[in-house]
Amino acid sequence: MTSTSNIELTQTFHYSTNTHSYDVRWTSLGDEVLPPVIFVHGTPWSSRVWHVYAQSLARYFHVYLFDNPGFGDSPLGKPLPSKAGSISKEVALDADLAQQSEVYAALYHSWEQEWGNKKAHVVAHDHGGLMSLRAHILHGCEYASLCLIDVVAMGPFGQPLFKLVAENEGVFTSLTPTVFEGVVESYIRDAAHNQLSKETMEMLKRPWVSSDEGKRGFVRQLMQANSRNTEEVESKYAEVGKKLPIRIIWGKQDGWLPVDIAERLKEKLNAKEVVLIDGAGHLIMYDQQAKLGVELTWWLSQVPR
C-alpha cells in the first residue's frame, strides 16, 4: 500500500433525531471553489480507507471525509430523554441504516449550503452504498454523480458468521481479548483477496479490539448485517439512474458480495455498466489501490462538474 500521512477529522457536526444526539467527526481537503466529492465508508471500516484517494484527488476536488456514528472517531449516538422523561435505549440494531442515513443526509445538507448551485459527487463502499441511496431517495440529497464500489444495496443478505453472531451475542461479547482479536482479524482478512500489510491490519482492527465498547460495537455491526434489508428503497432504485450518472465498480474476487449482485444492481439502477477489477476482493482499495485510483479518476473526470 502506498504510504500516506494520516488525515485528522478536525470538524464536528452535531445532529439530533427524536431519540438520539450525534456528533459526527469530519474534515475536508482541497480548495473550496473546486467541485465537491464525498467519500462514504461502510462497516466495519472508517474514513481511513479513503485517505490515499482523498489526498490525491484534493488537487482537483474539494474532498469530504467523515466517520459514521459508532465508527472511527465518531462516537455512537447518545440516547435522549423521551417526552415522558425516560431515556431511549441505545440504537443497538439499525439494520435498515435509517439512523445512519438520516445523520449523513443532514451532514450533506449542511455542506450543501456552502456550494451554491453545485452538487457533490459521491463515492460509496459497502453499506455506504445503501446510506447514499437512502439519503438520495428519502432525504432529498441531490448528487452530481454516484459511484458505488462493492456496495450493500440489494438483498438477500447474510453470511454464516452473521447468523452465528446474531444467535450467540453473549458468547462473542464474552470472548477473551486475544480470542476476540483473532475473530476480528480473520473477518477482516476474509474481506481482502490479497494479504493485507501488518500496518493496514492493525489500523482496521484497532477500533474494535482496543476496548470493551469496541468489542460490543463490532458484534453489533455483525448482528445488523444479519438483519439487513432494503425494502423501503429498493423498489425506487430505477428512478435513481434516470436522474444522475451512476458507475458501479466491483472486485472480481469479492467473496462477501459476489459479482452477480453487481449485475443485478446495474439493472435495478439503470446504470450503464459494471467495471470489474481483477485481483480484488471486497477491500478493493487495498487489493488493487492503483487500479481503483485510475477508475475513480477517469469517472470523476468524465461526469459533469
Side-chain angles (χ1 to χ4, degrees), residues 39 49-58 63 284-286 288-290 292-294 296:
F39 284 95
V49 301
W50 296 122
H51 280 193
V52 168
Y53 305 100
Q55 290 179 328
S56 296
L57 289 170
V63 179
I284 190 171
M285 62 281 293
Y286 295 111
Q288 294 294 337
Q289 185 184 98
L292 179 59
V294 169
L296 284 176

Side-chain angles (χ1 to χ4, degrees), residues 183-203:
V183 171
V184 175
E185 186 165 328
S186 177
Y187 180 78
I188 293 172
R189 189 182 300 114
D190 190 53
H193 179 66
N194 301 316
Q195 184 172 348
L196 296 170
S197 70
K198 183 178 180 180
E199 178 186 10
T200 298
M201 175 61 76
E202 288 298 318
M203 180 271 292

